[in-house]
Amino acid sequence: MTAFTSISQFARMLRNLDQWLQRSVDYAQEKKFEPDVLASARLAPNQYELVRQVQSACDAAKYAAAYLSGQQAPSHPDTEKTISELRARIQKCVAYLDGFKASDFTGAEERRIAPPWMEGKSVRGDIYLQRIAVANFYFHVTTAYAILRHNGVELGKADFVGVTSWSELSDA
Amino acid sequence: MTAFTSISQFARMLRNLDQWLQRSVDYAQEKKFEPDVLASARLAPNQYELVRQVQSACDAAKYAAAYLSGQQAPSHPDTEKTISELRARIQKCVAYLDGFKASDFTGAEERRIAPPWMEGKSVRGDIYLQRIAVANFYFHVTTAYAILRHNGVELGKADFVGVTSWSELSDA
């Protein structure tokens, strides 16, 4: 479980998230409501709505890849308002993540990571990945899923993990 | 980011979860309702309630530690009905996780993992950890958090990550 395999897992989960959004659009059509109503849905008045959960999940993955490889993260402005725009944001992020190869993360675990919000402080790469990037990424992706479930979209644990057949895993 | 550091992170997140439950009890007292009402709260009628989210988070961590170290997992029956019992379950799980040392996971990434539900199939340790254990663990812990937020408990992202000061991380 390296920085590279974590980034690959983020990409896999973002593809799952894209599928949940597709299922949400299908559900809206079936129930005859405007799918973009879900874009502003939230679980608590002082918690992010779906749009910001998806943006934040993408950013957690994007910045982890950039920081851990020592690259500059591309700018992905938070302009999305619709499910369709969110899906495009996910595709843009996944394309960025897919561009990395294992060797880009050589030494990532020992690299000092200094995100702007740490205001001059830094943290070792492995700690950053485990305690900040992975925790934040799953927080936002799971909350996005929870918002959809709470609004009636038919999803189950297999959709979350994104496994339709165990043979996919058992071959590994 | 090894099997051992992932297990340590699970223990850290379970301690955070215990704090959210304490905050829920405080909130119930402040609002004058029975705290155990929250034990059966859920976000969707066909999704687990808080009790099973907490039990499942504990089990995801416990089985990951057992499988990846090649040990037999201790039995922790799902008998909890109250917040207080859930907190005891968390303590029991954390005590188990805290008993491991790094050397217990030597070769864990290459070990074949064959949980009973895979019905005779197996998966390599690093794939199991990344795609099953970590994904499931964060799924349940985040959903528990979301249930509490949805019911008005005052929690924020810092409570989720469990960081009160960045110096804790920047020393690493």
Side-chain angles (χ1 to χ4, degrees), chain B residues 40 60 90 127 158 170:
Chain B
S40 59
I90 292 169
I127 306 283
S170 62

Side-chain angles (χ1 to χ4, degrees), chain B:
Chain B
M1 203 173 163
T2 62
F4 178 64
T5 60
S6 295
I7 299 302
S8 303
Q9 173 68 4
F10 290 165
R12 188 176 293 112
M13 290 301 301
L14 288 174
R15 288 191 180 90
N16 297 348
L17 171 58
D18 182 61
Q19 287 302 302
W20 312 334
L21 295 178
Q22 174 62 60
R23 296 273 286 277
S24 304
V25 172
D26 297 344
Y27 173 73
Q29 286 175 343
E30 181 196 326
K31 298 286 181 187
K32 303 194 192 323
F33 70 85
E34 169 54 57
D36 291 329
V37 164
L38 294 170
S40 59
R42 62 183 87 221
L43 293 174
N46 57 348
Q47 202 184 24
Y48 285 174
E49 78 282 18
L50 182 68
V51 165
R52 289 192 72 178
Q53 298 292 350
V54 173
Q55 290 168 340
S56 300
C58 287
D59 276 359
K62 178 184 79 172
Y63 284 115
Y67 293 156
L68 290 166
S69 64
Q71 297 187 17
Q72 183 76 28
S75 170
H76 293 166
D78 293 333
T79 53
E80 296 83 7
K81 294 196 181 338
T82 66
I83 300 288
S84 164
E85 288 167 351
L86 286 177
R87 298 186 68 188
R89 170 70 173 265
I90 292 169
Q91 295 314 320
K92 194 162 54 174
C93 184
V94 167
Y96 175 67
L97 300 178
D98 283 349
F100 287 88
K101 49 192 186 305
S103 59
D104 291 326
F105 298 101
T106 304
E109 277 76 7
E110 292 78 35
R111 186 186 287 274
R112 299 301 305 185
I113 308 295
W117 51 263
M118 283 189 84
E119 298 177 345
K121 298 203 176 202
S122 69
V123 57
R124 213 175 58 211
D126 57 346
I127 306 283
Y128 169 81
L129 177 60
Q130 184 93 263
R131 296 183 57 183
I132 301 177
V134 170
N136 272 318
F137 177 79
Y138 277 105
F139 177 86
H140 293 295
V141 90
T142 307
T143 307
Y145 175 97
I147 290 170
L148 299 176
R149 285 293 302 269
H150 182 61
N151 279 277
V153 180
E154 288 281 348
L155 294 168
K157 176 63 84 60
D159 300 302
F160 182 82
V161 181
V163 170
T164 50
S165 156
W166 293 117
S167 64
E168 182 194 350
L169 292 174
S170 62
D171 289 343

